[in-house]
Amino acid sequence: MSDTITNTSSDLDAYRQQMRDWLAANLPARDPHAGLRAAHEISAEQLAADRALQKKVYEAGYVGITWPTEYGGQGLSGQHQQIWNEESRAYAVPAPGGIASGVTMGIVAPTLLAHANEEQKRSWLPKILRGDELWVQLLSEPGAGSDLAGILTRATQDGESWILQGTKVWSSGAMSADFGVCLARTDWDAPKHRGLTWFKVPLRDPRVTVRPVREINGSAEFCEEFLDDVVVADDMRIGELNEGWAIANSMLGFERGASRDPGAVRPKGGGIRPIAPDLVEIARSRATLTHGHVRQLIAKAHANDVMHELLTARVVSSITKRISNPSAASYIKLGHGILQPLRACAAMEIAGRTGIAWSADVHAHGETAATNYLNGRIMAIAGGSNQIQRNIISERLLGLPREPNFDTNKPFREVLRTARNWGTKGE
Amino acid sequence: MTFTEQMVRSGAQGSRCMDLELTSDQLLFHETTVRFIDAELPMTKVRQLHDDPVGYDRGWLGKAAELGWFAMLVPEEHGGGSVSGAGLLDAVIVAEELGRRMQPGPFLPMNIVAAALAEHASPEQCARVLPGIAGGEVVATWCVSDADGNWDGGAGVIAVATEGGFVLNGSRGYVQDAQSADWLLVVANVGGASAQFLIEASTPGVVVVPLVTLDLSRRLASVSFEDVRVDGSALIGAVGADGALERQLQIALALLCAETVGVLDAMFSITVEYSKDRTAFGRPIGSFQALKHIMADLGLWLETCKAGAVALATAVEQRSAEAAALAHTVAAYVGDVATDIAQECLQIHGGIGYTWEYDLHLLLRRARSNSALYGEPSWHRERLCVAHGL
Ligand SMILES: Cc1cc2nc3c(=O)[nH]c(=O)nc-3n(C[C@H](O)[C@H](O)[C@H](O)COP(=O)(O)OP(=O)(O)OC[C@H]3O[C@@H](n4cnc5c(N)ncnc54)[C@H](O)[C@@H]3O)c2cc1C
């Protein structure tokens, strides 16, 4: 079917019209005030209902629009995807498991498409698109976050299988997910970056314990997992043995924005973005919209929003055209990581006292500001902190010399010993 | 190492334009522009002009005109034309290099006036001045802000209609290259509404008083009008010129932001290179994380400026609905980070950056000067609110 749809404008118009009709008939309207539902608030029934709905969208041909047909996609162009992005905006598009769905579609799926073998792609990707499999990332551990190559989870070969043992943490959405892409150490005598391998780990396995972790905003979006001798077959290994680091970098690139379809970024001249509506609403509720300093805060936040959007489009296009190397995605990530906290703090400044106390039974703008304030540093930490992005930008884009390092060229076992004695004997 | 050698090493010399989608004709135009600047006015010669009251040489202006520098916003029937047909997108290519190479001269005001006349003047008015501007024989500038540097919509110059013409009284401030201008496009007030007059600088009653400038390659002056009598043909367009002023401001900001991008790009590339060369404590200073992280932030801001400056030029060229808001958005952002980038680049240089001989301060001066020339960031933010109906 897909090869009969082309990109002539009349075909695109027809595609849009068909989509419009389908959306109106099949999806409820989006509630503009509803954010992404917090993972711990999603009941099993809700999750099942959302999955069923995703399957329906998939069967209509609107999930995986640009994905290759052999892996369950439609094989269509970025323009088709763009039409979906525009038309579906007003509807409650299902995101089963909330954040888990975002991780599955935005980070895991592109990583698998790039690095899984043919058999794995044919078997796994259609299930992902259909909503049958939700995946999350099992990367960070209690002892290793920024220094991801320092993880301690081990995978030991046992005939045709692997036995995984270790603790993962901060895994967003894991309570709703079916699988994790898990980074594990497979060689302890190799330097830290050269002994890592990826596995697909079933989260509903009895040897896996998933425990939600409560966050500063009171909800529980991420989890910790204990892998207690989980056995996975060798066909659950993703990529080559001990070559997991390159895949990790590529995955983090997707997470940082490299995966954004250039067609999906707002085109130049594509309409005027309203000025920071959330901040305007707070100011209006306090009758301070005429105050000069409030107007300055609003305009600054808006300018940053618009400029970051333009930056994103520029970076995506320069990576696509190979003018920049893929590390340029760190500009997008660092921009978020710097600007979101600033924006959250601007909202609190405009909210004033209304951001520190509110009545329990009416919707208060101040409460939203307070929640955003607590969440303001998510992008500055998750997916590689601002400092890590700055390291990447300075070394891989600007070509500045690396810091002296003490860990990359020795057997990992030795690195662990040295770190513990840091500063006591001098390195 | 001299500044120019630093430029060569850092790649800023032949560096890529901010617009990543230039046609091969535009790239050729860029190359010619760079070659011309390097041959005619390299840094040593730019410095020699710092004490010159005019700031540039008329002969040089004519040669620059041969490359099309002042013709890009002029219609073909008046001697204009541009490489791609999208004049402003070609003009920002030049503007960026003028910034990167710290060039003096009236590129900015000549192009603003050219655009204004092309859009609003009668065919006779155009014929009187535009071919001269395009050919670099005539210098024109825009007198828009008041004596205190504020945007007053013309209130500071009162034009009273007389039989057959107008009499103007009042003053304009911070007028670029008024010292050497032959024609002044003056924003004034006629019976409570804005209007623009094209006046010969030699008209009796026009008094130009040069100012001392932060940017050593930029000439600014106060211009006062004492019973200046002009005939009716000096009025450009209609009385009630707010829309025209808006549009000219957008063109000015598109050119100015592109120029600032060039300034910042030069500063930043030089700074990154310097940090790789300079050693302290047994290693290049560029290997210290404290400096690397600053430079990563500066890199992010600079990329964002480039994205914004290209988007702005495109929106203004295409007269898109978002051009007005985008002009203030980009100008506010670029204006803010230009200062930050300039300051941090000086910091990373240490003592050498604080010397007169080292060229960094020239860029520092222009970066800051540009952040005020057509409105400071907080002014743009207030206008942005207004543009959005707040
Ligand atoms: C909301 C949220 C969701 C997350 N989701 C997931 C997920 O789904 N899956 C997953 O695997 N992980 C997830 N994470 C974990 C996240 O990736 C890590 O928290 C992050 O990489 C930082 O690691 P860390 O917490 O161990 O901090 P550390 O690495 O201990 O860092 C502490 C501080 O030291 C700084 N630092 C560390 N190294 C350097 C250096 N070389 N130079 C300068 N400064 C340095 C850091 O910037 C930070 O400020 C999530 C985190 C959050 C907050």
Side-chain angles (χ1 to χ4, degrees), chain A residues 103 136-148 168-173 215 221-222 255 377-378 380-388 391, chain B residues 289 293:
Chain A
V103 173
V136 292
Q137 294 172 286
L138 309 185
L139 285 67
S140 306
E141 298 183 2
S146 303
D147 182 16
L148 184 58
K168 293 289 178 179
V169 73
W170 322 133
S171 325
S172 301
E215 299 164 4
E221 208 72 85
F222 51 32
E255 182 162 4
R377 289 242 155 221
I378 290 179
I381 298 171
S385 70
N386 285 359
Q387 286 71 33
I388 296 304
N391 285 348
Chain B
Q289 199 178 53
H293 283 194

Side-chain angles (χ1 to χ4, degrees), chain B residues 280-356:
Chain B
F281 299 95
R283 41 197 277 217
I285 57 166
S287 72
F288 294 119
Q289 199 178 53
L291 299 194
K292 286 162 80 171
H293 283 194
I294 291 172
M295 286 187 268
D297 285 352
L298 304 189
L300 167 62
W301 301 338
L302 177 57
E303 274 305 300
T304 309
C305 287
K306 290 180 178 178
V310 173
L312 174 57
T314 308
V316 176
E317 169 65 39
Q318 297 173 347
R319 295 169 180 273
S320 84
E322 65 175 352
L326 197 60
H328 293 302
T329 300
V330 175
Y333 182 92
V334 172
D336 272 341
V337 303
T339 309
D340 297 341
I341 293 175
Q343 295 277 327
E344 295 291 4
C345 285
L346 174 53
Q347 180 66 25
I348 291 168
H349 273 84
I352 185 81
Y354 195 64
T355 61
W356 188 267

Side-chain angles (χ1 to χ4, degrees), chain A residues 94-224:
Chain A
I99 185 88
S101 179
V103 173
T104 304
M105 300 302 294
I107 304 171
V108 175
T111 308
L112 293 176
L113 188 60
H115 302 286
N117 66 34
E118 189 58 28
E119 206 173 314
Q120 292 169 333
K121 285 193 280 194
R122 284 180 190 270
S123 151
W124 298 346
L125 292 175
K127 290 181 202 148
I128 285 180
L129 295 179
R130 218 183 292 135
D132 288 345
E133 287 190 2
L134 287 171
W135 293 50
V136 292
Q137 294 172 286
L138 309 185
L139 285 67
S140 306
E141 298 183 2
S146 303
D147 182 16
L148 184 58
I151 54 150
L152 298 177
T153 291
R154 64 174 69 231
T156 317
Q157 194 152 23
D158 179 23
E160 288 296 281
S161 308
W162 293 87
I163 302 171
L164 278 82
Q165 213 283 327
T167 306
K168 293 289 178 179
V169 73
W170 322 133
S171 325
S172 301
M175 65 284 276
S176 334
D178 309 294
F179 295 94
V181 272
C182 177
L183 188 64
R185 189 164 304 279
T186 38
D187 186 345
W188 296 74
D189 296 310
K192 66 198 296 185
H193 298 95
R194 282 181 253 152
L196 302 171
T197 307
W198 286 94
F199 296 92
K200 175 180 182 181
V201 171
L203 293 178
R204 314 213 183 255
D205 188 289
R207 287 172 178 278
V208 178
T209 309
V210 178
R211 239 193 44 187
V213 178
R214 197 155 189 219
E215 299 164 4
I216 62 173
N217 61 19
S219 85
E221 208 72 85
F222 51 32
C223 300
E224 97 190 297

Side-chain angles (χ1 to χ4, degrees), chain A residues 266-275 280 284 289 291-292 294-304 306-308 310-312 314-315 317-318 321 323-324 330-332 334-336 338-339 386-391 393-395 398-404, chain B residues 16-21 268 272-273 275-276 283-284 286-297 299-301 303-311 314 318 320-322 325-326 328-330 332-334 336 377-382 384-386 388-390:
Chain A
R266 197 172 66 98
K268 288 176 194 162
I272 300 172
R273 178 188 175 123
I275 188 163
V280 169
R284 204 164 262 147
L289 204 46
H291 297 192
V294 171
R295 296 165 73 81
Q296 288 288 316
L297 289 168
I298 289 172
K300 195 160 199 165
H302 173 70
N304 285 337
V306 171
M307 295 300 287
H308 190 265
L310 294 169
L311 169 85
T312 302
R314 177 182 180 86
V315 170
S317 120
S318 68
K321 292 186 187 135
I323 293 170
S324 299
S330 288
Y331 276 137
I332 300 175
L334 180 61
H336 280 304
I338 292 176
L339 296 178
N386 285 359
Q387 286 71 33
I388 296 304
Q389 305 314 313
R390 291 180 176 121
N391 285 348
I393 291 166
S394 56
E395 291 172 8
L398 306 180
L400 291 168
R402 295 184 65 93
E403 291 275 305
Chain B
R16 189 184 281 288
C17 299
M18 63 180 188
D19 189 341
L20 303 175
E21 289 170 22
F268 180 62
V272 169
E273 262 344 279
S275 79
K276 294 176 186 173
R283 41 197 277 217
S287 72
F288 294 119
Q289 199 178 53
L291 299 194
K292 286 162 80 171
H293 283 194
I294 291 172
M295 286 187 268
D297 285 352
L300 167 62
W301 301 338
E303 274 305 300
T304 309
C305 287
K306 290 180 178 178
V310 173
T314 308
Q318 297 173 347
S320 84
E322 65 175 352
L326 197 60
H328 293 302
T329 300
V330 175
Y333 182 92
V334 172
D336 272 341
S378 54
W379 181 76
H380 288 296
R381 282 192 287 273
E382 175 54 32
L384 182 55
C385 288
V386 174
H388 277 275
L390 294 188

Side-chain angles (χ1 to χ4, degrees), chain B residues 164-239:
Chain B
F166 296 88
V167 180
L168 281 72
N169 274 290
S171 60
R172 302 280 80 187
Y174 307 91
V175 180
Q176 189 182 336
D177 291 302
Q179 289 86 327
S180 57
D182 306 299
W183 290 92
L184 308 172
L185 181 63
V186 183
V187 182
N189 183 293
V190 178
S194 59
Q196 298 192 94
F197 293 91
L198 186 65
I199 299 175
E200 268 186 279
S202 59
T203 313
V206 175
V207 179
V208 175
V209 180
L211 299 167
V212 180
T213 51
L214 173 66
D215 178 349
L216 305 175
S217 291
R218 186 84 87 203
R219 296 290 171 269
L220 298 173
S222 301
V223 183
S224 56
F225 303 86
E226 290 153 23
D227 288 330
V228 174
R229 290 175 186 278
V230 294
D231 69 33
S233 73
L235 178 66
I236 301 296
V239 171

Side-chain angles (χ1 to χ4, degrees), chain B residues 43-122:
Chain B
M43 222 45 204
T44 44
K45 293 206 179 146
V46 166
R47 274 185 173 261
Q48 286 162 13
L49 289 168
H50 283 164
D51 296 324
D52 183 292
V54 170
Y56 64 93
D57 177 80
R58 280 280 180 140
W60 167 82
L61 199 72
K63 289 191 217 166
E66 283 169 26
L67 299 184
W69 282 16
F70 313 110
M72 292 179 276
L73 305 179
V74 173
E76 279 177 18
E77 64 267 30
H78 296 296
S82 76
V83 177
S84 71
L88 191 60
L89 298 185
D90 298 335
V92 294
I93 297 174
V94 177
E96 188 183 348
E97 286 310 328
L98 297 182
R100 190 173 277 122
R101 290 167 162 74
M102 292 300 300
Q103 297 292 291
F107 177 84
L108 202 53
M110 297 243 310
N111 277 291
I112 297 165
V113 173
L117 298 181
E119 291 180 15
H120 305 289
S122 68

